[in-house]
Amino acid sequence: MRNRVCLDIGRFFFKNAISFNALRSPFFSMCRSIGSYGRGLEPPSMHELRTWILREELRTTENVVEEIKRTWPQTSVSIISDGWKDIRQRNLINFLVNNPSGTIFLKSVNVSEYIKDAKLIFKLLDEVVEEVGEHLIVQVITDNASNYKATGDPLMEKRKHLYWTPCAAHCIDLMLERIRDLPQHKNALLKARKVANYIYNHS
């Protein structure tokens, strides 16, 4: 009986191209809920998934967010800006709020029209600080691009309570790029890339 159930679960994963890592999700405990219900469970329909089930999950998520927000005055927070490009090559910035209780997605802004304009980026960061509350913020973290670096000092000048912090991961990326381009490393890396490509193409 168990083998039959496992095969059905596996087939669902295979046919829908679901990553095996999904099994590690704490929410895979739905299997226990199904088992507890017993025989005769009618699975949710597409209509149910996109209506009342989605609304209930949204309400649960909102409650979790509110619980985290209630801890902000005790711990203070960091604002994290994450710049990226979508498949339409639009420049977007995701704003996240982080503290020891968790990270909350605040909003995403399309900055394609002014990504290189430091003054407008400063205005955007300043608005985010105002939205969250300057008194709650310890630092604003951005990458090290020139447009962000140009906003750091003005932001700290206006908002005396917080610090601008360059992203450590981005700093390391830039350092590794510089190391990669050094003559003593460049040739070795080119050879390593050829070996990797050979192995990849012949395996």
Side-chain angles (χ1 to χ4, degrees):
M1 178 65 75
R2 181 181 182 276
N3 285 355
R4 172 64 184 275
V5 174
C6 289
L7 283 170
D8 285 343
I9 293 172
R11 192 171 295 114
F12 177 77
F13 272 71
F14 307 146
K15 294 295 184 181
N16 292 283
I18 299 172
S19 170
F20 296 161
N21 286 330
L23 284 169
R24 298 176 179 173
S25 168
F27 300 106
F28 197 66
S29 60
M30 65 177 178
C31 288
R32 284 197 292 271
S33 297
I34 294 170
S36 298
Y37 186 92
R39 296 172 64 89
L41 172 65
E42 183 179 345
S45 65
M46 286 181 60
H47 177 72
E48 287 180 300
L49 280 173
R50 64 191 182 196
T51 54
W52 73 267
I53 295 175
L54 180 59
R55 286 195 299 269
E56 284 296 318
E57 188 59 26
L58 175 61
R59 188 175 295 111
T60 299
T61 302
E62 289 173 341
N63 289 337
V64 171
V65 168
E66 288 305 315
E67 287 179 11
I68 293 175
K69 283 184 175 181
R70 282 195 287 271
T71 68
W72 289 359
Q74 285 75 47
T75 64
S76 297
V77 302
S78 297
I79 302 295
I80 303 171
S81 72
D82 178 29
W84 61 292
K85 284 187 178 181
D86 65 6
I87 58 174
R88 294 164 59 185
Q89 295 302 300
R90 295 180 302 175
N91 288 286
L92 306 173
I93 300 178
N94 291 343
F95 288 100
L96 312 171
V97 185
N98 172 266
N99 81 336
S101 296
T103 302
I104 292 175
F105 173 80
L106 187 64
K107 62 182 177 180
S108 185
V109 181
N110 183 355
V111 295
S112 300
E113 299 295 326
Y114 54 90
I115 184 62
K116 295 183 179 180
D117 191 325
K119 290 183 179 179
L120 291 176
I121 294 295
F122 164 78
K123 181 181 178 184
L124 178 60
L125 290 172
D126 191 57
E127 288 173 353
V128 171
V129 170
E130 189 68 31
E131 181 178 345
V132 174
E134 179 185 356
H135 63 290
L136 297 173
I137 301 170
V138 174
Q139 61 180 341
V140 175
I141 303 171
T142 73
D143 66 30
N144 296 280
S146 58
N147 53 341
Y148 287 106
K149 290 170 69 175
T151 66
D153 288 337
L155 187 64
M156 289 190 292
E157 181 65 28
K158 180 177 180 180
R159 305 286 186 173
K160 306 291 186 181
H161 186 75
L162 57 80
Y163 295 92
W164 169 73
T165 306
C167 174
H170 191 238
C171 287
I172 293 172
D173 283 343
L174 294 175
M175 290 166 59
L176 291 174
E177 286 178 6
R178 293 288 183 88
I179 292 172
R180 177 198 63 191
D181 293 333
L182 292 174
Q184 60 266 43
H185 300 307
K186 195 169 186 177
N187 190 44
L189 288 171
L190 286 173
K191 290 179 179 178
R193 189 174 292 121
K194 288 180 181 179
V195 172
N197 288 338
Y198 178 84
I199 294 172
Y200 180 79
N201 292 328
H202 292 80
S203 60

